[in-house]
Amino acid sequence: EPEVTQTPSHQVTQMGQEVILRCVPISNHLYFYWYRQILGQKVEFLVSFYNNEISEKSEIFDDQFSVERPDGSNFTLKIRSTKLEDSAMYFCASSGPGEHQPQHFGDGTRLSIL
Amino acid sequence: QKEVEQNSGPLSVPEGAIASLNCTYSDRGSQSFFWYRQYSGKSPELIMFIYSNGDKEDGRFTAQLNKASQYVSLLIRDSQPSDSATYLCAVTGGSYIPTFGRGTSLIVHP
């Protein structure tokens, strides 16, 4: 069964450093998403990406964050200058084609900011 | 602000019993409803989705939707210890971006 893959599984970074989280969505999916989940809290939407551009973003997704689809398979989330409060699980998901389709999540990247 | 409410639990049921998980949502225009299972430290795993009023069954799982009451539930029949996890309700409306509830912790004890 096709799945969303994320790398790395765990990233430890010093505060102020840049991190790039990588995702390979399911191949025939058209909608891509990043979510985060702080330990013990709910899953929070960050950004969605469709047709090579951001379609929606939340208040969390400020100028420190960016997303890219550098080639036909990868989907990346960059955090430019990490803060302690960026420590969380980051999940990539994909869905479609078609709106209101269920989202399939990757295993996540645990980001720890020191 | 769209809200999705779930009782955080834990809901504790004996092995073999029916577990009933509930979710209410605030946006009357909501169109799609999803249940995810999340084991501790793992990612959400899709269990079921439902779009229309009524029941939808898949194996031991049944999703029930009542749009008039803005209520969606998940029943797990013949609960097993391996079903112990947090169950997330997610709802989409005019936007296809789902709003997640905080999840209900389910414990199935032998």
Side-chain angles (χ1 to χ4, degrees):
Chain A
E1 185 175 325
E3 57 182 29
V4 176
T5 57
Q6 289 186 245
T7 55
S9 56
H10 190 189
Q11 174 82 46
V12 181
T13 302
Q14 292 288 331
M15 186 172 59
Q17 296 297 303
E18 174 184 286
V19 294
I20 297 177
L21 309 183
R22 292 182 167 79
C23 170
V24 179
I26 293 173
S27 61
N28 67 335
H29 283 184
L30 301 179
Y31 298 85
F32 315 121
Y33 314 84
W34 283 101
Y35 292 86
R36 80 170 184 193
Q37 187 175 31
I38 296 170
L39 186 63
Q41 298 189 24
K42 65 190 290 186
V43 174
E44 298 177 292
F45 168 72
L46 293 178
V47 66
S48 64
F49 195 85
Y50 171 72
N51 202 24
N52 286 321
E53 61 183 19
I54 291 174
S55 48
E56 284 197 45
K57 59 183 181 178
S58 72
E59 293 175 352
I60 303 168
F61 193 87
D62 61 21
D63 292 344
Q64 295 284 77
F65 291 89
S66 63
V67 290
E68 228 180 14
R69 192 141 194 258
D71 53 45
S73 59
N74 290 285
F75 179 50
T76 63
L77 174 70
K78 181 191 293 186
I79 309 175
R80 287 188 186 78
S81 178
T82 50
K83 303 186 282 287
L84 293 176
E85 53 265 38
D86 293 327
S87 296
M89 281 290 284
Y90 287 80
F91 295 112
C92 174
S94 67
S95 69
E99 294 188 357
H100 302 286
Q101 295 298 308
Q103 298 183 0
H104 297 265
F105 283 74
D107 288 340
T109 293
R110 180 173 300 282
L111 179 62
S112 300
I113 307 300
L114 305 179
Chain B
Q1 176 112 7
K2 298 172 186 175
E3 299 287 341
V4 176
E5 300 290 340
Q6 295 182 258
N7 189 321
S8 62
L11 173 66
S12 182
V13 300
E15 184 174 357
I18 296 174
S20 177
L21 303 160
N22 305 314
C23 173
T24 59
Y25 57 94
S26 62
D27 182 7
R28 282 201 169 272
S30 297
Q31 299 182 35
S32 307
F33 308 85
F34 307 94
W35 282 101
Y36 289 86
R37 177 175 62 198
Q38 187 176 29
Y39 294 112
S40 181
K42 302 295 186 182
S43 64
E45 174 192 6
L46 180 70
I47 297 176
M48 292 194 69
F49 55 94
I50 186 167
Y51 301 137
S52 305
N53 272 331
D55 295 1
K56 180 181 178 182
E57 187 175 316
D58 183 1
R60 295 188 296 116
F61 300 97
T62 299
Q64 299 176 316
L65 175 61
N66 184 326
K67 288 188 177 181
S69 300
Q70 296 176 237
Y71 175 95
V72 58
S73 64
L74 179 71
L75 301 179
I76 306 175
R77 287 181 298 281
D78 188 25
S79 296
Q80 301 297 310
S82 58
D83 294 326
S84 298
T86 296
Y87 289 80
L88 309 178
C89 173
V91 176
T92 68
S95 160
Y96 57 87
I97 306 301
T99 300
F100 282 82
R102 291 188 175 276
T104 297
S105 174
L106 173 67
I107 299 172
V108 181
H109 53 87

